[in-house]
Amino acid sequence: MRLIWNADLITGVRQIDLQHQELIELINDLESAHESGQNQVALAEVLPRLTSYALFHFGTEEGLLTKVAANTPYAQHHLNEHRLFAEKVAQLRAESGADPAHTTAQLLNYLKSWLLEHIMKTDKALAKLLLARSV
């Protein structure tokens, strides 16, 4: 099931919201390749684009994080979520040789649930801090 950007996902920080929309599109591109049986393309072309963009996005969030919550337990939690995401995607990608379709399906499940959870909890908390600071 494709991810759809909706009002529940809005953090209120335009830069973050635009990047989240792009991440959703890239996950949907991965799903489209998977659904059409192009799992090698999904893993060799779409996933690297998605991973690169996710790392770019994490850099954006981490830069904003240093402005409002540097060296706090929340900041450490947020950074840890980013690190664990990168590690998990790398692990799944490394395991893709034997069954690309299965790996792509696992990646999609992980990416969708992780992104939605991260936006709804961790990123909304960051947005709250940023918006409170700008008031």
Side-chain angles (χ1 to χ4, degrees):
M1 184 155 115
R2 294 176 65 82
L3 292 177
I4 298 172
W5 180 257
N6 62 68
D8 291 338
L9 300 174
I10 294 172
T11 65
V13 178
R14 183 168 169 70
Q15 182 180 25
I16 292 174
D17 289 338
L18 290 172
Q19 290 179 9
H20 286 162
Q21 289 176 41
E22 182 64 23
L23 284 168
I24 286 172
E25 285 305 311
L26 287 164
I27 291 170
N28 287 339
D29 289 349
L30 189 72
E31 184 166 30
S32 293
H34 174 64
E35 288 175 347
S36 65
Q38 297 179 330
N39 292 291
Q40 294 291 15
V41 170
L43 294 172
E45 296 177 20
V46 182
L47 184 60
R49 283 195 338 255
L50 188 148
T51 303
S52 293
Y53 194 81
L55 295 176
F56 163 76
H57 170 65
F58 293 166
T60 298
E61 286 186 357
E62 290 166 12
L64 294 169
L65 190 59
T66 62
K67 295 178 182 180
V68 294
N71 301 316
T72 65
Y74 166 74
Q76 290 306 312
H77 170 76
H78 200 134
L79 294 171
N80 193 48
E81 282 191 15
H82 289 173
R83 182 183 57 79
L84 292 173
F85 171 89
E87 288 174 2
K88 180 67 172 180
V89 170
Q91 174 205 346
L92 288 170
R93 191 170 180 201
E95 297 170 357
S96 67
D99 189 350
H102 178 72
T103 299
T104 307
Q106 281 186 299
L107 276 162
L108 284 165
N109 287 335
Y110 175 74
L111 292 168
K112 288 176 185 181
S113 65
W114 186 91
L115 183 62
L116 295 176
E117 173 101 1
H118 187 75
I119 290 172
M120 295 302 290
K121 293 182 179 174
T122 310
D123 288 346
K124 285 197 176 198
L126 173 58
K128 187 175 180 180
L129 292 169
L130 290 165
L131 295 170
R133 184 171 187 236
S134 67
V135 171

